[in-house]
Amino acid sequence: MEKVRAAQALLRGIVPESRLIASEKLAKLGGASVHLKLESEGPTGSFKVRGAYCAIHMHKMPFGGELPGVITASTGNHGAAVAYAASKLRISARIYLPNNPNPAKRARIAQLGSEIVEVGTYLEETREHAQKFAEQSGWYNVVDGIDPDMLPGPATIACEILEKLLTVDVIFVPVGDSTLIRGLAFAAKQLKPAIRIVGVQAERAPAYAMAFTKGHAISTDTSDTIADGLSVRDAMEDNVKQIAGLVDEFVLVSEEEMLGAIRFLHEEEKVTAEPAGAATTAAFRKTAPSYANQTVVLLVTGSNIPPDLLAHAVNR
């Protein structure tokens, strides 16, 4: 928790505290008190800057405040976060993306001035190219889901929630590379041990949900989902072990359920969410009766949705 509190202090002025708003429409579904934590309104349109900035700032120290450069592989939001952090810290950055990336996320990275390399079909393949360049160049590779220095950043979200809403019983968290849920769940359970953490994944990218059930790391053949932020094929063994001690349950959501949640948030709450950001709303909508008389927080983690996908969701 000392590292989490240090991250809170470091991020002041870099990441404004995100809004926590009540949703009367969602509350009516199952008799719960429901709040949305709008990380989608953060810098780069997602929560990811919290972890990326903390990790890069920490790695500057051994170099006397200088790094030759930073690099990462990402489906988009993490890459934009690394690009944003690098620009704030005045460090060169190269961002590797899988081929045919989310255009909204690619545009954000380009606006931030980082070099972009598109290579690989899946994120795991893209990561191999990024790691090879890191070994050749000596640049710091900020690996989402692996780098422990990223964890205190997203953990600060739990602090913000509990400082504003101590009565919270359950937090729904989308799960991609798992940095978010591991950091947030750790801090939440330190501050309120009885709190329940619900992980949310796409039915078409269920690696961590399956690993949670089986009790060991697994890999899926594909992760073909509209929620590129959840598109992970490999559940890593160390992460699975951490999740086992921090997370209480998982909920899987379909493509249609995420589209429906995007539309709901857009029309009823005036909130723009990408599929991964809407996944927690989708999960709550299908399980709402289970949380009657409880206080629930749903993380809306990103807003970087291509215009055509948003139009498709809204006009369904």
Side-chain angles (χ1 to χ4, degrees), residues 1 4-5 8 11 17-18 20 37 39 47 50 151-168 170-173 179-192 195-197 297 299:
M1 283 303 295
V4 176
R5 295 304 187 189
Q8 276 191 293
L11 292 172
E17 181 173 333
S18 59
L20 185 66
K37 180 65 168 166
E39 288 294 301
F47 76 95
R50 293 177 186 260
L151 291 169
T156 62
I157 300 171
C159 298
E160 290 181 11
I161 292 171
L162 284 157
E163 285 164 6
K164 290 286 179 64
L165 193 67
L166 188 57
T167 58
V168 62
V170 185
I171 303 177
F172 281 67
V173 185
T179 294
L180 171 60
I181 198 165
R182 288 182 292 121
L184 182 146
F186 168 79
K189 300 261 182 179
Q190 290 288 311
L191 296 169
K192 188 174 182 179
I195 201 166
R196 291 183 64 79
I197 304 296
V297 172
L299 262 63

Side-chain angles (χ1 to χ4, degrees), residues 57-67:
H57 184 273
M58 180 171 291
H59 278 261
K60 284 182 64 179
M61 298 305 104
F63 290 87
E66 298 295 335
L67 274 174

Side-chain angles (χ1 to χ4, degrees), residues 23-89:
S23 172
E24 294 183 4
K25 293 290 180 67
L26 288 171
K28 291 178 180 178
L29 292 180
S33 172
V34 184
H35 295 73
L36 303 172
K37 180 65 168 166
L38 299 180
E39 288 294 301
S40 51
E41 296 179 347
T44 75
S46 91
F47 76 95
K48 294 279 190 176
V49 170
R50 293 177 186 260
Y53 191 90
C54 287
I56 295 171
H57 184 273
M58 180 171 291
H59 278 261
K60 284 182 64 179
M61 298 305 104
F63 290 87
E66 298 295 335
L67 274 174
V70 294
I71 184 174
T72 199
S74 168
T75 56
N77 279 342
H78 173 63
V82 169
Y84 179 87
S87 69
K88 285 286 187 182
L89 295 167

Side-chain angles (χ1 to χ4, degrees), residues 102-313:
N102 178 318
K105 296 178 181 181
R106 190 190 192 285
R108 275 204 186 268
I109 296 168
Q111 289 168 2
L112 290 163
S114 291
E115 180 184 358
I116 297 173
V117 178
E118 295 182 29
V119 62
T121 302
Y122 292 104
L123 178 60
E124 289 76 13
E125 182 182 351
T126 308
R127 277 181 164 171
E128 292 176 3
H129 289 272
Q131 181 58 30
K132 183 176 181 180
F133 177 80
E135 292 169 356
Q136 294 171 344
S137 65
W139 287 24
Y140 167 39
N141 189 5
V142 192
V143 186
D144 198 7
I146 295 178
D147 194 329
D149 293 329
M150 293 186 64
L151 291 169
T156 62
I157 300 171
C159 298
E160 290 181 11
I161 292 171
L162 284 157
E163 285 164 6
K164 290 286 179 64
L165 193 67
L166 188 57
T167 58
V168 62
D169 299 299
V170 185
I171 303 177
F172 281 67
V173 185
V175 181
D177 277 317
S178 83
T179 294
L180 171 60
I181 198 165
R182 288 182 292 121
L184 182 146
F186 168 79
K189 300 261 182 179
Q190 290 288 311
L191 296 169
K192 188 174 182 179
I195 201 166
R196 291 183 64 79
I197 304 296
V198 180
V200 181
Q201 287 206 293
E203 289 180 352
R204 296 170 67 168
Y208 276 103
M210 291 175 63
F212 180 79
T213 300
K214 294 177 180 293
H216 59 81
I218 65 103
S219 296
T220 58
D221 292 333
T222 66
S223 53
D224 183 19
T225 171
I226 57 170
D228 52 86
L230 306 181
S231 181
V232 173
R233 291 191 298 165
D234 298 331
M236 301 176 189
E237 187 66 46
D238 287 345
N239 297 352
V240 171
K241 290 178 181 177
Q242 289 180 36
I243 285 171
L246 294 169
V247 178
D248 297 283
E249 61 183 297
F250 269 82
V251 176
L252 296 177
V253 292
S254 69
E255 308 294 284
E256 282 298 312
E257 287 165 343
M258 285 187 283
L259 288 170
I262 291 168
R263 178 178 179 175
F264 174 89
L265 290 170
H266 185 270
E267 294 188 347
E268 303 295 343
E269 304 294 347
K270 311 307 178 190
V271 169
T272 299
E274 62 189 79
T280 54
T281 299
F284 178 77
R285 290 176 80 194
K286 72 185 292 184
T287 61
S290 300
Y291 302 99
N293 302 315
Q294 297 185 57
T295 300
V296 177
V297 172
L298 311 177
L299 262 63
V300 182
T301 49
S303 62
N304 295 308
I305 182 171
D308 58 342
L309 182 56
L310 177 60
H312 172 61

